[in-house]
Amino acid sequence: MNQESPKPSAVLNGQTAVVTGGSSGIGAGIARALGEAGANVVVNYSGSRERAEEVVARIREQGSQAVAVQADVSSESDVEAMFRQAVEIFGTVDILISNAGVQQDAAFTEMTLDEWNKVISINLTGAFLCARAATREFLRRGMVPGRSSALGKIIFVSSVHEIIPWSGRVNYAASKGGLMLFMKSIAQELGAKGIRVNSIAPGAIRTPINRESWDDPEAKAELLKLIPRNRIGDSSDIGKAALWLASDESDYVHGTSLVVDGGMTLYPGFISAG
Ligand code: BGC
């Protein structure tokens, strides 16, 4: 009998993924998608262990291994400890999903230095610390025959706001714009070593971070005007994109932001104007 290629649902068998901010929202959607595809998943959280344990339980029900690990991604020692723990438990790390992110909205003239620093340190410095730790582990471990065509995969969860300026959230837009060139620069530096680096740029996905934009019917109607596809995204929409970027199916995709936004970046204001 011919040897069959692995089921699409098991394309990440034997690989280990660290998902930062994996206890809720987009991170939880990605953690579940990777677990369903056979990956061992480190579900990172900063606050609620309980929610992280729920995600872990869901992944275990799907037949994969998972563990919840607390770490503040903006802390170098926390990040180093999290990767050490991941390696102790699963032997190595093959995939980093750098997803942890926050918003601290304020009018520009009212924005405090703390609000600026918090967003930059979690969204951008956190991405740096996690990507550096993951890269060091990929290089230490080396290629494992038959596991993946890449030495490692790094996927940043960015935002449409790496492209779309955002009044009242200049800290957030600056963090995501910075993340875009950080991603491309390390992609340029690491490609020859076999490490694939990409981002996903989600639009409006129904998560706690933007609850006020979809919870209230009027706000939701305004939001939908910005989305040609006419629906708010689900974290599973991002989970599917992350699974593809983490798998060898996307082997030639490198240094790219995959926009998953229902058309939000199509300047929908021009549908009936301009
Ligand atoms: C933000 C959300 C927002 C979406 C679209 C995301 O990056 O975190 O609050 O709804 O972009 O504007």
Side-chain angles (χ1 to χ4, degrees), residues 8-245:
S9 62
V11 288
L12 299 182
N13 260 353
Q15 297 190 48
T16 296
V18 171
V19 182
T20 70
S23 61
S24 76
I26 289 176
I30 295 176
R32 284 202 298 268
L34 302 188
E36 204 176 327
N40 312 315
V41 186
V42 174
V43 178
N44 158 254
Y45 67 98
S46 64
S48 160
R49 171 147 208 121
E50 207 183 327
R51 277 186 302 154
E53 289 295 356
E54 278 168 28
V55 177
V56 164
R58 293 276 297 273
I59 294 170
R60 288 185 182 153
E61 278 164 23
Q62 294 163 347
S64 291
Q65 299 187 64
V67 60
V69 176
Q70 201 276 338
D72 167 0
V73 295
S74 67
S75 154
E76 185 173 30
S77 55
D78 275 19
V79 169
E80 294 298 312
M82 171 171 69
F83 276 82
R84 268 199 308 276
Q85 225 180 311
V87 172
E88 269 165 34
I89 297 170
F90 294 121
T92 188
V93 172
D94 304 276
I95 299 158
L96 166 66
I97 308 287
S98 175
N99 162 78
V102 291
Q103 277 184 232
Q104 295 269 290
D105 305 347
F108 177 50
T109 48
E110 307 305 319
M111 189 172 283
T112 63
L113 181 58
D114 277 352
E115 287 165 339
W116 172 267
N117 281 341
K118 179 155 191 207
V119 171
I120 297 296
S121 63
I122 294 176
N123 298 11
L124 188 55
T125 308
F128 159 71
L129 291 171
C130 292
R132 189 185 63 178
T135 299
R136 288 175 175 167
E137 171 55 21
F138 301 156
L139 296 169
R140 180 201 67 78
R141 182 233 313 133
M143 282 301 279
V144 179
R147 186 178 292 175
S148 170
S149 50
L151 182 69
K153 281 93 43 159
I154 297 175
I155 299 160
F156 297 104
V157 177
S158 175
S159 166
V160 289
H161 298 295
E162 69 172 41
I163 304 163
I164 304 175
W166 211 11
S167 153
R169 288 99 173 164
V170 299
N171 47 0
Y172 186 81
S175 74
K176 298 300 184 176
L179 185 57
M180 181 187 66
L181 272 181
F182 170 61
M183 178 277 287
K184 287 179 189 276
S185 300
I186 63 170
Q188 198 185 58
E189 187 163 337
L190 301 177
K193 299 186 196 298
I195 300 171
R196 270 197 316 115
V197 186
N198 292 286
S199 286
I200 300 173
I205 309 300
R206 192 186 306 271
T207 71
I209 209 173
N210 57 3
R211 180 179 295 281
E212 63 187 27
S213 325
W214 50 261
D215 224 8
D216 165 72
E218 271 175 41
K220 185 179 169 193
E222 285 303 307
L223 177 60
L224 286 176
K225 286 186 195 161
L226 299 178
I227 310 172
R229 188 71 181 78
N230 203 35
R231 73 169 172 89
I232 297 171
D234 189 81
S235 58
S236 64
D237 291 311
I238 307 302
K240 289 174 210 166
L243 172 56
W244 181 70
L245 279 178

